[in-house]
Amino acid sequence: MDLPEAPAPAASSGPYRVLARKYRPQTFAELIGQDAMVKTLGNAIARDRLAHAFLMTGVRGVGKTSTARLIAKALNCIGPDGQGGPTIDPCGVCEPCRAITEGRHIDVIEMDAASNTGVDDVREIIEAVRYAAVSARYKIYIIDEVHMLSRNAFNALLKTLEEPPPHVKFLFATTEVNKVPVTVLSRCQRFDLRRITPDMLFAHFSAILQKEGVEAEAPAIWLIANAAEGSVRDGLSILDQAIAHADLESGEGGGGKIGADQVRAMLGLSDRTAITQLMATVLGGDSGGAIDLVRAQYALGIEPVAMVRGLMDLTHAVTLAKVSRHDDPALAAGDRERIGDWAQKLGFAPLNRLWQLLLKGHDEVLRANNPLEHLEMLLLRVIYAASLPDPGELAKLLESGSLPTMPRAPRAPASVQDGPSDSAAVPIDAEAGTEPPATALTVAQIHQLLETTGNHRLAVQVYDHLRIIELDPGNIVFAAVPALGGSFARDLGDTLLTQTGSRWHVRPGEGEARPSLGEIRAARVADNGERIRELPVVKAALAAFPDAKLVEDDDNRHKSQS
């Protein structure tokens, strides 16, 4: 009976290999971002000036171990005809090249220092280097994460590392070169592998996606390139995850399209549009709107610390835009326009203030037991700090005597109030254009304020005993002395709040303190007294009346205080 011919079984493609392994560079031409190192190695091989030990250092995923394997292939390649010598372009088809690529060459020994840290492990290497290579031109030892070796192991390796046999080469790789002893570093030719720039990663990932037959939006690839932080391996791992996510979303076994929103959600990044809206509410002084936006994002699964990072990234982008150095291809046209608008209307001083507040708040939110509450308090702190007068404005108010008695509502600088309605309410003050007053002048003005309002007890304490360590807008740190008493900080803070309409944080601290107004005056009086005593007429008067004393005139004393 004639039966239909059974179809031949499809050839198995083997187990899936992740992109980081599948696209590991096999030649120096495929090693991206390390042109200086490749040129140095090429010249050294061409001139037969090869070092006996190489050290590759750099952040994770920039190609340290891959470079070590490429050097091993370059030194042991014999060419397709078996007659070649060391070359910067190994053929990849000869037996040594294929064996090294597959990790089975008997003369290329890879060792993980993290699991072989002791002196006994190094002693095995010292014993083995005496014997020539079995089949290769050089016997090569590749030691990964070499900084994990113990101090005794490093010491045991030193002599062999300095004067190895001519048939032995050492290739070290490490992410923490500062932990490698200087005695080892001095015996190696060191290569610092640089981080891979986002544009290089974008081009590399785009080429890989084309080979894999996967479509992706350009902003999605930029997001992955930025998230990689200069590491090819990290970026390929994220790309692998994004491809799997795209396949799942499309409901097919392959061919899914990677979108920017999808990558952002996968990485747990806050929505850029929502962050832009949050920034607008913060700059506009809308505390209720800011809280509502934060809670809406939190309900969608966005972590509070991710929202803080988003605000920091946006603040950084606006600051760079002010100096024409901001260029983020992942930004939409609308976001780019808004950043440019903020860059024109906000000065460097308020942007720096906003950055410092967010930077400090980031650590607080990261360590908090309830991050959402800390984020809400952080935003309220940022909005409230925008209404504090700067030192120059406070000095003018004190001089004119027109201090407000109630807290002021957040206000926008004049340059912003004239702008478009959707971004006009920006209470963070533009640069005042005046230098902050000297510390002594500011303390003197505070003393005058206390005297004017009839708070003589505090005025005397400020004049005689207040030694300033730090004096910033809304912040006073002073040296604690018994004469001030335990309630001084609270009393002074409450009084300044009542008289200036702004909250001042007054607290004792440690550090170098400036003398008080009274001490400055006493030193000045003592200096004046010494100079007066040297006058001939005064010397004659004191000689004629030995019991006479120099006394400062009360009117002059009051003038000096004021």
Side-chain angles (χ1 to χ4, degrees):
M1 182 179 295
D2 295 330
L3 296 175
E5 184 177 354
S12 175
S13 59
Y16 174 73
R17 284 195 302 163
V18 297
L19 298 180
R21 293 187 59 194
K22 184 176 181 180
Y23 292 98
R24 182 187 291 271
Q26 300 300 321
T27 65
F28 282 104
E30 298 176 4
L31 192 66
I32 62 174
Q34 312 299 341
D35 298 338
M37 180 196 67
V38 173
K39 182 177 181 180
T40 302
L41 285 173
N43 292 341
I45 292 174
R47 298 170 184 172
D48 195 19
R49 299 178 63 89
L50 290 170
H52 56 269
F54 298 89
L55 175 70
M56 275 69 69
T57 180
V59 299
R60 66 195 184 281
V62 293
K64 299 182 296 297
T65 305
S66 296
T67 299
R69 293 174 180 173
L70 290 177
I71 294 176
K73 288 202 298 186
L75 297 182
N76 285 326
C77 178
I78 58 176
D81 58 357
Q83 304 299 318
T87 174
I88 195 63
D89 297 312
C91 65
V93 298
C94 65
E95 176 57 25
C97 284
R98 288 188 288 110
I100 294 173
T101 300
E102 297 169 5
R104 57 179 176 82
H105 201 293
I106 192 173
D107 292 319
V108 178
I109 301 97
E110 289 195 33
M111 170 181 164
D112 178 22
S115 55
N116 299 275
T117 62
V119 68
D120 292 335
D121 303 306
V122 172
R123 188 176 292 115
E124 293 180 5
I125 297 176
I126 297 173
E127 293 295 327
V129 296
R130 296 183 299 174
Y131 304 102
V134 176
S135 61
R137 186 178 295 111
Y138 293 102
K139 178 181 286 188
I140 296 177
Y141 289 91
I142 301 176
I143 303 181
D144 202 6
E145 299 301 338
V146 69
H147 66 273
M148 299 292 288
L149 290 178
S150 66
R151 180 171 297 276
N152 290 336
F154 274 124
N155 292 335
L157 187 61
L158 282 179
K159 188 61 178 177
T160 302
L161 186 61
E162 185 173 22
E163 298 178 359
H167 60 270
V168 173
K169 302 290 182 184
F170 288 98
L171 305 177
F172 300 142
T174 179
T175 54
E176 300 184 47
V177 69
N178 58 303
K179 294 184 178 180
V180 179
V182 177
T183 50
V184 174
L185 293 177
S186 64
R187 290 165 168 82
C188 301
Q189 190 171 101
R190 173 174 168 175
F191 292 107
D192 290 86
L193 276 66
R194 52 182 288 191
R195 289 179 182 268
I196 313 303
T197 59
D199 55 339
M200 290 182 179
L201 291 175
F202 177 86
H204 186 57
F205 297 160
S206 299
I208 289 177
L209 287 171
Q210 187 175 4
K211 294 176 183 178
E212 294 291 316
V214 178
E215 296 182 15
E217 297 176 358
I221 305 177
W222 279 113
L223 285 172
I224 296 174
N226 290 326
E229 297 181 347
S231 169
V232 180
R233 184 172 63 242
D234 286 9
L236 289 177
S237 298
I238 298 173
L239 188 61
D240 237 333
Q241 184 180 356
I243 293 175
H245 195 62
D247 292 343
L248 183 62
E249 289 292 323
S250 65
E252 304 173 3
K257 184 174 182 178
I258 303 174
D261 293 338
Q262 177 188 11
V263 172
R264 190 176 289 110
M266 182 189 73
L267 295 176
L269 300 176
S270 55
D271 180 67
R272 190 181 291 270
T273 303
I275 289 297
T276 305
Q277 294 174 352
L278 180 59
M279 177 70 87
T281 59
V282 169
L283 295 179
D286 183 4
S287 56
I291 298 299
D292 291 340
L293 282 173
V294 164
R295 291 180 178 177
Q297 286 289 292
Y298 186 76
L300 293 175
I302 305 301
E303 291 296 329
V305 70
M307 288 184 255
V308 180
R309 290 195 191 105
L311 289 173
M312 293 178 67
D313 291 341
L314 198 51
T315 305
H316 179 252
V318 173
T319 308
L320 289 184
K322 284 191 68 66
V323 294
S324 303
R325 289 296 183 271
H326 179 255
D327 183 18
D328 187 355
L331 273 180
D335 292 337
R336 194 186 305 274
E337 182 179 352
R338 175 162 284 192
I339 287 175
D341 185 51
W342 282 332
Q344 291 179 359
K345 296 176 179 178
L346 293 175
F348 284 108
L351 285 172
N352 181 65
R353 186 193 306 178
L354 178 59
W355 173 264
Q356 293 298 331
L357 288 169
L358 292 174
L359 182 62
K360 184 176 185 298
H362 176 271
D363 293 338
E364 295 176 356
V365 174
L366 187 64
R367 299 192 304 265
N369 293 328
N370 193 327
L372 179 60
E373 290 183 357
H374 278 70
L375 175 57
E376 292 176 350
M377 294 302 294
L378 168 62
L379 295 181
L380 294 177
R381 186 193 315 163
V382 172
I383 293 171
Y384 181 79
S387 66
L388 291 176
D390 57 38
E393 183 181 355
L394 180 60
K396 292 178 181 178
L397 292 172
L398 288 166
E399 290 175 358
S400 64
S402 58
L403 289 168
T405 58
M406 294 295 291
R408 297 172 301 166
R411 61 178 180 82
S415 61
V416 179
Q417 292 172 348
D418 298 333
S421 59
D422 62 337
S423 61
V426 184
I428 292 184
D429 297 335
E431 293 177 272
T434 59
E435 292 294 328
T439 301
L441 174 62
T442 304
V443 175
Q445 293 288 356
I446 294 175
H447 170 259
Q448 181 184 10
L449 171 65
L450 295 173
E451 287 281 17
T452 304
T453 56
N455 200 329
H456 301 295
R457 180 184 62 84
L458 269 180
V460 171
Q461 288 179 315
V462 167
Y463 189 84
D464 290 339
H465 306 294
L466 182 60
R467 300 173 181 172
I468 292 295
I469 298 175
E470 294 180 17
L471 181 55
D472 300 313
N475 180 53
I476 297 177
V477 182
F478 62 92
V481 295
L484 291 177
S487 63
F488 171 79
R490 182 183 67 254
D491 294 343
L492 181 58
D494 292 343
T495 303
L496 290 176
L497 173 61
T498 302
Q499 298 302 323
T500 67
S502 301
R503 185 172 301 279
W504 287 71
H505 300 281
V506 185
R507 59 185 175 86
E510 296 181 356
E512 183 177 356
R514 301 189 180 188
S516 67
L517 292 176
E519 291 170 337
I520 294 174
R521 172 183 165 276
R524 184 170 63 248
V525 169
D527 182 62
N528 291 338
E530 290 296 325
R531 288 189 285 108
I532 291 173
R533 289 177 185 274
E534 295 299 319
L535 295 176
V537 64
V538 177
K539 284 185 175 181
L542 292 176
F545 303 96
D547 296 330
K549 296 181 180 179
L550 288 176
V551 179
E552 184 182 7
D553 182 67
D554 287 344
D555 291 338
N556 291 333
R557 179 171 62 85
H558 291 304
K559 289 178 182 178
S560 66
Q561 291 182 12
S562 61

